[in-house]
């Protein structure tokens, strides 16, 4: 039986960067509300809001100090209710970001917890004694340094897998779990329609918190790999499901770095016992460095072969058992057109953005579009470290360039320009006016210099724009059941093609053949298509049969 979210399309908004309504240079809730009609015009069904809760904003809201209050920079609860009502009146659903692997160190639970070993909230977090004056184990934090912070007040260390201002909650404590479920039910009662769950597969830590594997040259062990998919994770999610999801009509997606197909089959099982779907990360890791010290800080390019093999593995791996989420972009990833496409010229940018959209949106699963992706926004290519705001980029620069001397400043600036999260976070480009129409004030993060030509106003005025192409892809998903339900298969022999990706989707009545030239060259390929086959979408005006022009994408229906 098909679920309501299976043929839905999600649009992610990063509130800080979407639309500033009061001229302080920071996006806000009334700004988003003003733009809901635009999201509706695109055709998305669900709007995922990155965190809007009260937060000191050390990690732009992924450090929450009050789960039931709105960050004052973004507005207040009345503004949120207004956004929710307006969305619902337009037929849009709202998905909240749920960040419960950790809180902010300013959350009152942590403020209490750090007071003393006997405090009733002590066990809400993960406290340990040091070992011979060192941290309790070798785990490294995601944003550099040890994952343990010594707290002078009690002389113990607390665990933080991310920044020191993001202490990890102790999910072994049933009070923590039920406090989270109560909070989720509170938001569901308010009328929100779903949750995107931040690093949810990290919440169950392995017993004894053993040292993590440490590659040569690395200062700390890989904590993420050690905590991912921990021993009690499925028990916790089933408990959450019984306490929250089963009580409401919610859509849920878990962010799950390090998730495997086998684990995803459990998290996202169609039996509905845990989550509806997960974000897997394998295709986002294909252009990582072989040198674990560098990780994503490299200019390595993913190959079509690797990308196709990975997407195919997830398509066939979950088919019939669990549900995929489909994404190229989010607030943590560089812009897809700059990463897997080509942003060098206007022609290449538009063609390759449409080709990548076709690759993803004809697959089985629920697609996610990240703000600006629908107009082909590109990486910002900032030239100076001063332009960056993200602690992830700034910390990585200092550790790799200043402390460890593993890359030069020039190299690292190049890598940041290609891979940093701030590439996704530059203000939404609405029009060619000052600050891209995002704000009347200097924005909190510089706008991309290309906003005078790449912007929403321009896209809406051009019938051949990337925007209208995405709109059509969404319409196709909403009207052709084979896109939601059909079987995925690679065209025979395509596995080894280094330039073209060709796959089919099939149900009892319909076949779709998706042909994608992933290169800048004109190629020749022959695929069997019946004489009456129709091209239902493509990024060139006509069909030249076996000739595939640069970045050509076309989809036959028969
Ligand atoms: O991201 C988790 C995560 O996997 C990141 O560490 C990711 O690997 C990194 O951003 C590099 O791409 C989530 C949120 O999406 C991210 O914005 C938060 O900073 C992080 O959790 C902590 O809450
Ligand atoms: Ca504002």
């Amino acid at each position: 039986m098909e679920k309501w979210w299976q043929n839905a399309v999600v649009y992610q908004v990063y509130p800080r960067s979407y639309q500033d309504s009061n001229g302080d240079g920071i996006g806000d809730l009334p700004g988003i509300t003003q733009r809901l009609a635009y999201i509706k015009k695109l055709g998305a069904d669900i709007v995922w809001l990155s965190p809007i809760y009260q937060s000191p904003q050390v990690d732009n809201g992924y450090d929450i100090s009050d789960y039931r209050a709105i960050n004052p920079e973004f507005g207040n609860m009345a503004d949120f209710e207004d956004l929710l009502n307006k969305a619902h009146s337009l037929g849009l659903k709202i998905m909240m970001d749920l960040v419960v692997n950790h809180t902010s160190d300013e959350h009152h639970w942590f403020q209490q917890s750090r007071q003393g070993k006997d405090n009733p909230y002590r066990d809400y977090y993960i406290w340990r004694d040091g070992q011979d004056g060192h941290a309790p184990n070798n785990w490294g934090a995601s944003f550099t340094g040890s994952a343990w912070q010594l707290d002078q007040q009690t002389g113990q260390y607390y665990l933080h897998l991310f920044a020191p201002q993001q202490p990890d909650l102790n999910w072994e404590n049933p009070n923590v779990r039920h406090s989270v479920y109560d909070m989720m039910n509170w938001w569901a009662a308010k009328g929100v329609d779903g949750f995107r769950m931040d690093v949810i597969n990290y919440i169950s830590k392995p017993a004894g918190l053993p040292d993590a594997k440490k590659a040569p040259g690395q200062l700390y062990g890989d904590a993420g790999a050690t905590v991912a998919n921990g021993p009690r994770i499925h028990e916790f999610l089933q408990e959450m499901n019984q306490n929250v999801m089963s009580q409401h009509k919610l859509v849920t997606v878990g962010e799950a770095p390090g998730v495997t197909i086998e684990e995803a089959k459990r998290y996202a099982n169609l039996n509905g016992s845990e989550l509806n779907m997960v974000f897997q990360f394998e295709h986002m890791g294909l252009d990582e460095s072989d040198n674990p010290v560098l990780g994503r800080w490299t200019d390595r390019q993913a190959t079509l072969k690797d990308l196709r093999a990975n997407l195919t593995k997830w398509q066939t791996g979950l088919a019939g058992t669990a549900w995929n989420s489909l994404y190229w972009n989010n607030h943590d990833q560089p812009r897809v057109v700059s990463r897997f496409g080509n942003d060098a010229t206007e022609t290449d940018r538009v063609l390759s953005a449409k080709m990548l959209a076709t690759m993803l949106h004809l697959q089985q699963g629920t697609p996610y579009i990240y703000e600006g992706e629908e107009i082909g926004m590109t990486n910002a290519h900032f030239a100076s470290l001063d332009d960056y705001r993200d602690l992830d980029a700034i910390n990585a620069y200092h550790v790799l360039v200043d402390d460890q001397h593993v890359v030069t400043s020039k190299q690292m600036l190049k890598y940041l320009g290609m891979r940093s999260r701030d590439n996704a976070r530059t203000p939404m480009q609405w029009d060619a006016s000052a600050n891209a129409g995002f704000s009347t004030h200097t924005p909190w993060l510089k706008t991309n210099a290309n906003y005078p030509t790449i912007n929403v106003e321009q896209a809406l005025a051009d019938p051949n724009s990337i925007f209208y192409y995405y709109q059509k892809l969404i319409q196709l998903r909403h009207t052709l059941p084979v896109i939601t339900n059909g079987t995925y298969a690679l065209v025979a022999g395509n596995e080894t093609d280094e330039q073209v990706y060709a796959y089919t989707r099939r149900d009892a009545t319909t076949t779709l053949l998706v042909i994608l030239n992933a290169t800048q060259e004109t190629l020749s390929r022959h695929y069997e298509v019946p004489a009456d086959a129709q091209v239902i979408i493509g990024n060139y005006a006509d069909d030249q049969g076996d000739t595939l022009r640069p970045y050509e994408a076309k989809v036959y229906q028969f």
Side-chain angles (χ1 to χ4, degrees):
M1 196 187 59
E2 195 175 309
K3 314 286 196 312
W4 69 269
W5 40 265
Q6 286 185 319
N7 78 346
V9 176
V10 184
Y11 184 87
Q12 182 189 355
V13 168
Y14 197 63
R16 214 175 171 76
S17 301
Y18 205 54
Q19 177 70 66
D20 174 23
S21 73
N22 63 348
D24 63 357
I26 299 172
D28 46 51
L29 298 181
I32 299 169
T33 305
Q34 286 168 27
R35 297 298 187 177
L36 289 172
Y38 166 77
I39 300 172
K40 183 69 187 173
K41 183 180 172 82
L42 179 65
D45 305 281
I46 302 171
V47 181
W48 152 25
L49 299 175
S50 275
I52 58 167
Y53 316 94
Q54 184 178 301
S55 157
Q57 302 282 316
V58 168
D59 188 18
N60 290 356
Y62 285 90
D63 50 320
I64 297 168
S65 53
D66 185 345
Y67 288 106
R68 301 183 198 216
I70 303 294
N71 176 32
E73 288 171 318
F74 295 166
N76 56 34
M77 197 55 82
D79 294 323
F80 176 75
E81 281 159 6
D82 193 38
L83 189 163
L84 187 65
N85 291 336
K86 180 82 182 298
H88 286 168
S89 70
L90 289 168
L92 292 168
K93 300 196 185 288
I94 297 290
M95 176 189 271
M96 303 294 277
D97 217 307
L98 183 83
V99 189
V100 292
N101 173 69
H102 46 270
T103 68
S104 162
D105 62 343
E106 293 184 19
H107 194 289
H108 82 89
W109 296 339
F110 190 73
Q111 295 294 314
Q112 289 290 319
S113 187
R114 73 185 341 172
Q115 295 300 322
K117 293 183 179 172
D118 299 331
N119 189 283
Y121 288 95
R122 184 65 169 184
D123 206 25
Y124 263 53
Y125 295 86
I126 301 171
W127 294 95
R128 291 289 185 278
D129 290 326
Q131 275 190 41
D132 315 320
H134 298 290
N137 69 23
N138 74 351
W139 294 2
S142 201
F143 301 138
T144 72
S146 167
W148 294 95
Q149 178 75 28
L150 178 63
D151 203 45
Q152 295 302 344
Q153 191 143 346
T154 54
Q156 282 194 312
Y157 290 79
Y158 65 84
L159 178 69
H160 61 89
L161 293 176
F162 296 89
Q165 299 90 338
Q166 293 169 298
D168 278 54
L169 283 165
N170 175 20
W171 276 72
E172 301 292 323
N173 180 349
N175 293 330
V176 167
R177 305 204 297 274
H178 286 279
S179 299
V180 169
Y181 308 152
D182 288 350
M183 177 270 287
M184 293 173 74
N185 280 320
W186 186 84
W187 281 101
K190 225 178 221 315
V192 307
D193 306 288
F195 295 102
R196 173 268 184 190
M197 305 183 186
D198 195 63
V199 284
I200 200 68
N201 68 329
Y202 282 13
I203 59 176
S204 166
K205 275 60 172 181
L209 310 181
D211 273 349
K213 278 210 193 76
K214 194 159 73 116
Q218 269 185 319
L219 298 178
Y220 298 97
D222 185 352
T226 306
V227 302
N229 317 310
R232 297 183 69 189
I233 185 66
H234 298 289
E235 174 197 336
F236 292 163
L237 289 176
Q238 285 164 25
E239 183 185 75
M240 178 192 282
N241 187 297
Q242 281 150 24
N243 281 274
V244 184
M245 285 82 108
S246 66
Q247 314 294 317
H248 317 269
K249 193 177 162 219
L250 295 171
V251 55
T252 53
V253 53
E255 190 203 24
V259 70
T260 59
I261 298 258
E262 285 317 306
E263 286 293 334
K265 282 182 180 171
R266 301 180 67 185
Y267 290 126
N269 198 286
L270 293 168
N271 69 16
S273 58
E274 298 186 17
L275 304 174
N276 297 146
M277 50 199 146
V278 289
F279 291 129
Q280 63 92 8
F281 275 69
E282 289 179 350
H283 63 312
M284 295 287 111
L286 296 175
D287 52 10
E288 275 185 10
S289 173
D290 289 331
N291 176 355
V293 177
L294 292 179
R296 18 202 271 285
W297 308 115
T298 167
D299 53 8
R300 175 174 175 175
Q301 299 284 312
T303 65
L304 177 67
K305 269 171 100 168
D306 286 351
L307 192 56
R308 175 183 47 219
N310 192 261
L311 296 177
T312 300
K313 173 179 135 183
W314 282 88
Q315 285 292 293
T316 53
L318 298 196
T321 310
W323 195 250
N324 269 300
S325 59
L326 309 170
Y327 74 98
W328 285 138
N329 268 115
N330 58 45
H331 63 292
D332 294 333
Q333 299 295 335
R335 292 283 177 180
V336 70
V337 67
S338 305
R339 183 183 193 177
F340 298 144
N342 183 343
D343 66 7
T345 69
E346 183 59 9
T347 309
D348 289 330
R349 182 184 72 88
V350 173
L351 286 170
S352 67
K354 291 176 180 175
M355 183 276 292
L356 289 165
T358 317
M359 191 185 290
L360 197 77
H361 281 251
L362 271 294
Q363 302 210 348
Q364 185 171 44
T366 298
Y368 289 72
I369 299 168
Y370 177 71
E371 63 177 45
E373 180 182 338
E374 77 283 8
I375 57 166
M377 277 177 64
T378 70
N379 281 348
H381 305 293
F382 288 146
S384 153
L385 189 64
D386 298 335
D387 291 334
Y388 289 91
R389 293 288 171 273
D390 182 16
L391 79 167
D392 180 40
I394 296 166
N395 292 358
Y397 178 96
H398 289 308
V399 167
L400 297 175
V401 177
D402 300 334
D403 302 348
Q404 286 191 272
H405 307 287
V406 287
V407 283
T408 64
S409 167
K410 193 173 164 215
Q411 277 173 313
M412 190 62 188
L413 284 172
K414 181 180 182 201
Y415 301 157
L416 291 178
M418 297 176 74
R419 296 289 154 76
S420 86
R421 307 195 298 181
D422 279 339
N423 284 307
R425 300 175 180 186
T426 58
M428 181 68 182
Q429 295 168 206
W430 294 106
D431 58 41
S433 71
N435 307 316
F438 163 73
S439 175
T440 54
H441 187 281
T442 307
W444 70 276
L445 173 68
K446 263 180 45 174
T447 49
N448 189 317
N450 62 22
Y451 78 82
T453 49
I454 301 174
N455 61 62
V456 168
E457 189 175 61
Q458 178 280 331
L460 293 180
D462 173 7
N464 289 318
S465 68
I466 300 168
F467 178 91
Y468 290 116
Y469 196 90
Y470 268 84
Q471 186 187 57
K472 187 161 179 190
L473 285 169
I474 297 172
Q475 281 165 2
L476 288 172
R477 177 169 297 265
H478 286 157
T479 50
L480 284 177
V482 65
I483 299 178
T484 301
N485 301 316
T487 304
Y488 168 98
L490 278 184
V491 169
N494 184 247
E495 296 83 352
T496 54
D497 195 320
E498 288 175 10
Q499 297 166 304
V500 178
Y501 182 2
Y503 67 88
T504 55
R505 301 294 309 284
R506 269 202 186 97
D507 66 13
T509 57
T510 311
T511 297
L512 302 179
L513 169 62
V514 182
I515 301 171
L516 308 156
N517 176 359
T519 76
Q520 213 178 3
E521 293 160 46
T522 299
L523 307 171
S524 179
R525 293 289 187 284
H526 182 70
Y527 301 104
E528 291 300 332
V529 232
D532 62 349
Q534 302 282 325
V535 175
I536 55 167
I537 189 166
N539 58 358
Y540 281 84
D542 61 343
D543 177 14
Q544 293 189 359
D546 293 353
T547 301
L548 298 178
R549 290 155 286 186
Y551 299 113
E552 181 156 2
K554 57 182 172 181
V555 181
Y556 289 103
Q557 179 180 356
F558 45 92

